[in-house]
Amino acid sequence: KLDGLICQTSVSDAEAEMMHDLEHRADKITTEIVDRLNSTLITPLDREDIYTLAQNLDDIVDLSQGAVERMVLYHTKKPSIGAQAIVRTIVKATEQLKTAFCCLNSIHFKKSEILAATEEVYRLESVGDSLYRQEVARLFEQEKDAIEIIKWKEILEHLEDTLDQCEEIADLLKGVVLKYD
């Protein structure tokens, strides 16, 4: 959803509300996971691993929602091509995380798929870091309005933090694979 929202001229109130609802659903799912962890005797993975993965996934949604929320609050102009490229990189990274999570039910047989997905997340995070640095440099070189610079620098930081969070989850997934191999 973030990809479609940030590549437009501006984010409407309805779209921002949709992202806000998505963030609340993610919070509810995280709470349900914790509740189930507390009531389940035997879990397929260590409780701490499940809890940490759930919290970190929720953080990705929180950061994404924060970027969209700032676009609305700050009444930003259309995102630059660089900002759009960062968002596309986030989408690709989350797709890789989804692939890895879908393989966890057969962790012993799908170890190579999980590790390949985590390596791709690492690569994408590195690409995102480069895009972020280029975009901040472009912002300071080409944007003449100091207020626009402040707005977009904060939004870009949220997007970069989202990619960092994807990398954190990839690290956790890699650790889980090594633990259960």
Side-chain angles (χ1 to χ4, degrees):
K1 296 192 185 270
L2 180 63
D3 191 24
L5 291 177
I6 202 159
C7 296
Q8 303 178 59
T9 304
S10 64
V11 177
S12 71
D13 289 339
E15 291 165 328
E17 185 62 31
M18 180 180 63
M19 189 67 196
H20 184 75
D21 291 344
L22 178 64
E23 190 273 332
H24 278 294
R25 283 189 283 161
D27 287 343
K28 186 176 179 182
I29 290 168
T30 302
T31 300
E32 289 172 11
I33 289 170
V34 172
D35 290 346
R36 288 181 76 182
L37 277 174
N38 289 328
S39 64
T40 302
L41 184 60
I42 299 173
T43 59
L45 304 173
D46 285 346
R47 291 175 190 283
E48 295 81 16
D49 292 334
I50 296 169
Y51 177 79
T52 304
L53 286 166
Q55 291 296 324
N56 280 276
L57 282 170
D58 184 62
D59 289 345
I60 288 176
V61 178
D62 290 344
L63 288 164
S64 298
Q65 193 259 342
V68 170
E69 187 175 73
R70 280 160 180 74
M71 286 180 68
V72 171
L73 290 173
Y74 301 160
H75 304 286
T76 59
K77 297 187 266 184
K78 182 177 180 172
S80 66
I81 292 177
Q84 293 176 39
I86 295 169
V87 170
R88 282 191 294 280
T89 305
I90 293 168
V91 170
K92 289 175 186 175
T94 57
E95 288 168 352
Q96 290 300 312
L97 292 175
K98 180 180 176 184
T99 297
F101 272 93
C102 288
C103 294
L104 283 178
N105 63 342
S106 301
I107 197 166
H108 297 291
F109 302 109
K110 297 190 176 185
K111 173 184 171 184
S112 61
E113 289 94 331
I114 296 169
L115 293 176
T118 62
E119 290 303 316
E120 181 61 9
V121 171
Y122 296 147
R123 187 190 73 76
L124 290 165
E125 194 279 333
S126 180
V127 167
D129 282 346
S130 179
L131 289 168
Y132 168 76
R133 287 189 297 273
Q134 291 170 13
E135 188 55 23
V136 169
R138 186 211 58 81
L139 189 63
F140 281 96
E141 288 172 6
Q142 295 179 5
E143 181 59 56
K144 302 302 179 212
D145 184 348
I147 293 173
E148 282 299 309
I149 292 172
I150 293 168
K151 291 175 185 180
W152 277 105
K153 186 170 182 307
E154 187 173 339
I155 293 166
L156 291 168
E157 286 171 355
H158 260 74
L159 296 175
E160 203 274 330
D161 289 346
T162 304
L163 273 170
D164 289 344
Q165 197 62 39
C166 291
E167 183 180 44
E168 178 71 23
I169 292 173
D171 287 340
L172 292 166
L173 286 166
K174 194 172 190 178
V176 167
V177 166
L178 295 173
K179 187 185 292 187
Y180 292 96
D181 186 38

